[in-house]
Amino acid sequence: FHAWRLTLEPAKPDEWRPTDQVEHGRGEAVGRRSRRQRQGHGGYATVEVRIITNDPFVILAGSGMSNSSTTTLRPGEPGPDALTRAGRWLFGRRTWLPLPIAAALLLLPAPYAPRLFSTPLEWVGVLVVLSGELLRIWAVHHIGVISRTRSDRLGPLVATGPFSLVRNPLYLGNILLWVGFSCSARLVWLAPIVLALLALEYHAIVRWEERLLEARFGDGYRAYAARVPRWVPLLRLPTSGETAPFSWRQTFFSERGTLVAIAGGYALLWIKSNVS
């Protein structure tokens, strides 16, 4: 059994129904609603729901449905596949999952060089890292701090800037960062392994995110996904709104952790090159 609480605002004060029963995938969802903390006609009520299912997306499908007197669960929708369920688990841990790659970059022996940045390969790595971080900064400028969340909380549907060219610019930027560090560490053979591992991880995460986005935004997200590719950017000028939703100050404040990590990564590579 899974249980969770939702706070819903009714469209009309007296539209509460005592129970809901919804067929969904492999289980049944039974919702019990109680009028608590009612404050006149605009008050809120606490909703207690008990889920009888082994499908986690029953919970997620109902988690964003505020401003309504009913909780919408889509009957008959097939449950998520194994890759999508793995994406749900990976999503909350995506910040820490590249740590084994970082350990490999620092611990695996690299071909000899007299000092850091003394070979063309290392400078290629710097350019790839710079490209990845510029892509991330551009994306954060449009999506904001919600990009840092590790919960299923969703921000607005963003379709401007890099998001008008590719649906997952932040994850593409991350892949470029780690591939670039592999080259800067003079472990060029590791770069395709890093690319394959991160591509698989992010593909699983994206499958899970897309299911949430479709549940929340419906036809709006489906139309966006139909015109903007998941991974391969469109070769055209980006779409921009009248103004970017976040200032550059907010952008760099949100991205400060990644910038510090990049500086720290190159500092550790410099130490490695001087002690090996």
Side-chain angles (χ1 to χ4, degrees):
F1 290 92
H2 300 277
W4 83 101
R5 290 174 180 263
L6 299 175
T7 301
L8 302 182
E9 184 178 3
K12 296 180 181 179
D14 298 320
E15 281 188 349
W16 301 106
R17 290 158 44 190
T19 61
D20 287 331
Q21 294 188 3
V22 182
E23 295 280 331
H24 183 86
R26 293 163 291 178
E28 181 182 84
V30 179
R32 293 189 179 91
R33 295 186 173 148
S34 60
R35 296 187 185 184
R36 297 183 183 177
Q37 300 176 1
R38 283 289 303 275
Q39 297 176 358
H41 293 303
Y44 288 82
T46 298
V47 178
E48 297 181 356
V49 184
R50 181 164 297 223
I51 296 300
I52 308 172
T53 179
N54 56 359
D55 183 353
F57 284 94
V58 173
I59 297 175
L60 297 174
S63 63
M65 304 298 178
S66 58
N67 301 320
S68 172
S69 63
T70 60
T71 300
T72 302
L73 300 178
R74 291 171 291 184
E77 183 182 357
D81 56 24
L83 185 63
T84 306
R85 290 195 299 270
R88 180 179 182 236
W89 184 88
L90 291 167
F91 177 83
R93 300 161 177 83
R94 68 192 188 281
T95 302
W96 311 109
L97 288 172
L99 288 181
I101 298 175
L105 295 177
L106 295 174
L107 298 176
L108 291 176
Y112 173 76
R115 62 186 182 279
L116 189 64
F117 304 137
S118 61
T119 66
L121 178 62
E122 292 167 299
W123 284 106
V124 168
V126 171
L127 292 176
V128 175
V129 168
L130 181 61
S131 299
E133 182 53 21
L134 288 176
L135 179 57
R136 280 190 54 87
I137 290 172
W138 187 21
V140 172
H141 187 48
H142 285 263
I143 197 172
V145 72
I146 192 67
S147 63
R148 296 287 181 180
T149 186
R150 285 189 288 274
S151 71
D152 61 0
R153 182 169 59 99
L154 298 176
L157 181 60
V158 178
T160 58
F163 294 94
S164 67
L165 305 178
V166 65
R167 301 206 302 266
N168 299 286
L170 285 164
Y171 292 149
L172 283 178
N174 290 346
I175 292 172
L176 289 173
L177 288 178
W178 287 106
V179 169
F181 267 111
S182 299
C183 295
S184 290
R186 303 192 301 277
L187 296 170
V188 66
W189 60 269
L190 189 60
I193 298 175
V194 168
L195 175 62
L197 288 175
L198 292 180
L200 180 61
E201 172 192 329
Y202 288 138
H203 184 68
I205 290 173
V206 163
R207 289 279 295 272
W208 178 73
E209 289 179 332
E210 287 176 347
R211 187 158 179 146
L212 291 184
L213 290 165
E214 187 173 345
R216 174 167 178 177
F217 297 108
D219 290 339
Y221 179 74
R222 284 187 285 271
Y224 169 70
R227 70 177 184 268
V228 178
R230 181 185 283 154
W231 292 117
V232 181
L234 297 171
L235 299 178
R236 69 180 189 193
L237 292 176
T239 301
S240 59
E242 295 182 1
T243 57
F246 297 94
S247 69
W248 287 111
R249 179 180 179 181
Q250 291 172 308
T251 298
F252 282 104
F253 183 79
S254 176
E255 191 63 3
R256 67 193 185 282
T258 304
L259 294 169
V260 170
I262 291 171
Y266 275 112
L268 291 173
L269 287 181
W270 180 83
I271 293 172
K272 177 186 175 181
S273 68
N274 281 274
V275 300
S276 59

